[in-house]
Amino acid sequence: MSLYCGITRRRKSFWCCRLLSTYVTKTRYLSELKEDDDACKKAQQTGAFYLFHNLAPLLQKSEHQYLAPQHSLLASLQKPEMETELKGSFIGLRKALFQLNVKDASLLSTAQALLRWHDAHQFCSRSGQPTKKNVAGSKRVCPSNKIIYYPQMTPVVITLVSDGTRCLLARQSSFPKGMYSALAGFCDIGESLEEAVRREVAEEVGLEVERLQYSASQHWPFPNGALMIACHATVKPGQTEIQMNLRELEAAAWFSHDEVATALRKDNPSYQQQNGAFPFWLPPKLAIAHQLIKEWVEKPTCSILPA
């Protein structure tokens, strides 16, 4: 049974006089590893690895969190033997993501997205011939026509809509029970960021965006590697009646500042209330939706530009 590995730390001697810890030095070294197969092979001899099996990383459970151990190059073992030898289990990343520390969550998300991309691009879309990856896994090349394929991410807009005093949160049927989040959707070909935000809000809740402001971005490994582009948006007061798209959403509602602030202070609940309902809660801190909501709570009347 195959096991996937990805280098997470590499070492090399430098001739330049800059400190090895500088961002430029590190970035140029990583760029060299992507393009130079020999340099990458050399780095693998002293590198540290995360281990994957069927896109699931090897993790160790520790109280209320998961640990992601790093390993040097190992002999090929079957999955049960590997788990026994390394005292861990191959666990789906979606299940474990919010119980990892920030560094491991980021690196594992990147690694899984890259592995998934390789699985889906083993053949050239032009010739149909098998493609070949370089040592670093930073690209695939078709030997017959020399077309180079590079890993890509899908752009997704995620938008927190406000009417000035309230914010709009929604949930899909696939969400954990009781969890509400910001609106999100894929960008269409030919759209600008602003156009994608306006369209998604109109499609999902039937509202027209008046103003918007970019907040931040985040790589997200699900479903196939996405770049989450987070924005705040406002709608005109008096034009706030939600017309929910039932094909997209299970529920959508306006929430007050106090309601959202209270939910932010709570841990993610996993219990049902006596009436059978689940309490209202928000995405975990690692998710960019949490950051958007927290920004709004801390500064709900921040300056937002016309759309």
Side-chain angles (χ1 to χ4, degrees):
M1 190 171 294
S2 60
L3 295 168
Y4 294 104
C5 304
I7 296 178
T8 62
R9 184 176 65 245
R10 306 171 176 93
R11 296 185 291 271
K12 182 182 178 183
S13 298
F14 289 85
W15 57 267
C16 63
C17 60
R18 291 189 182 185
L19 294 175
L20 300 186
S21 60
T22 65
Y23 176 77
V24 171
T25 301
K26 176 184 176 181
T27 300
R28 289 183 173 178
Y29 176 45
L30 293 177
S31 177
E32 178 188 0
L33 295 180
K34 289 180 181 180
E35 300 299 327
D36 189 327
D37 284 352
D38 290 336
C40 190
K41 289 178 182 177
K42 184 177 180 181
Q44 287 178 344
Q45 303 306 312
T46 55
F49 297 79
Y50 290 122
L51 304 183
F52 283 79
H53 176 263
N54 289 341
L55 300 180
L58 182 76
L59 303 174
Q60 296 171 340
K61 185 68 174 177
S62 176
E63 296 183 352
H64 301 298
Q65 66 176 343
Y66 285 103
L67 304 177
Q70 297 178 358
H71 307 276
S72 57
L73 286 174
L74 299 167
S76 178
L77 297 173
Q78 295 297 311
K79 176 175 175 284
E81 299 169 339
M82 184 70 75
E83 291 177 322
T84 300
E85 179 74 18
L86 300 178
K87 298 179 175 59
S89 300
F90 290 99
I91 298 171
L93 186 58
R94 186 182 289 272
K95 175 182 177 181
L97 185 62
F98 294 125
Q99 298 180 58
L100 291 162
N101 65 46
V102 174
K103 177 184 176 182
D104 286 335
S106 176
L107 288 171
L108 290 173
S109 294
T110 300
Q112 190 201 62
L114 186 60
L115 292 170
R116 191 189 301 275
W117 180 85
H118 280 289
D119 281 350
H121 292 79
Q122 296 186 34
F123 296 90
C124 176
S125 61
R126 182 68 60 84
S127 69
Q129 297 298 310
T131 56
K132 183 179 180 181
K133 74 176 184 68
N134 63 343
V135 175
S138 61
K139 61 185 176 183
R140 298 188 76 92
V141 180
C142 176
S144 65
N145 56 30
K146 307 305 179 185
I147 292 178
I148 302 175
Y149 295 91
Y150 293 98
Q152 298 177 339
M153 294 187 293
T154 302
V156 174
V157 290
I158 179 166
T159 308
L160 186 65
V161 177
S162 171
D163 67 354
T165 60
R166 302 173 299 173
C167 73
L168 190 154
L169 298 170
R171 57 172 284 104
Q172 298 177 350
S173 58
S174 60
F175 283 11
K177 298 296 184 182
M179 192 189 85
Y180 280 72
S181 186
L183 302 176
F186 295 101
C187 295
D188 283 348
I189 290 178
E191 280 187 325
S192 67
L193 170 60
E194 294 82 1
E195 290 168 339
V197 168
R198 291 175 63 92
R199 175 184 55 77
E200 281 294 333
V201 173
E203 285 182 355
E204 296 194 355
V205 292
L207 298 175
E208 187 172 341
V209 169
E210 180 182 31
R211 298 170 180 271
L212 67 87
Q213 180 184 49
Y214 169 78
S215 172
S217 62
Q218 178 188 49
H219 169 256
W220 191 246
F222 315 114
N224 297 307
L227 177 62
M228 306 296 292
I229 306 166
C231 297
H232 292 278
T234 57
V235 295
K236 294 180 180 179
Q239 298 183 13
T240 59
E241 182 181 352
I242 297 172
Q243 298 177 350
M244 188 173 62
N245 186 338
L246 296 176
R247 291 177 298 179
E248 299 280 346
L249 302 175
E250 181 181 78
W254 291 103
F255 292 84
S256 70
H257 183 275
D258 287 344
E259 287 176 312
V260 177
T262 299
L264 278 176
R265 292 193 292 268
K266 295 179 180 178
D267 292 331
N268 301 344
S270 58
Y271 58 88
Q272 281 183 285
Q273 296 173 334
Q274 289 184 349
N275 62 3
F278 283 82
F280 162 57
W281 60 286
L282 300 169
K285 293 180 180 179
L286 187 62
I288 200 166
H290 184 99
Q291 176 179 326
L292 270 176
I293 296 167
K294 183 179 179 183
E295 286 176 349
W296 180 80
V297 166
E298 293 176 347
K299 197 174 182 181
T301 58
C302 61
S303 176
I304 297 183
L305 303 176

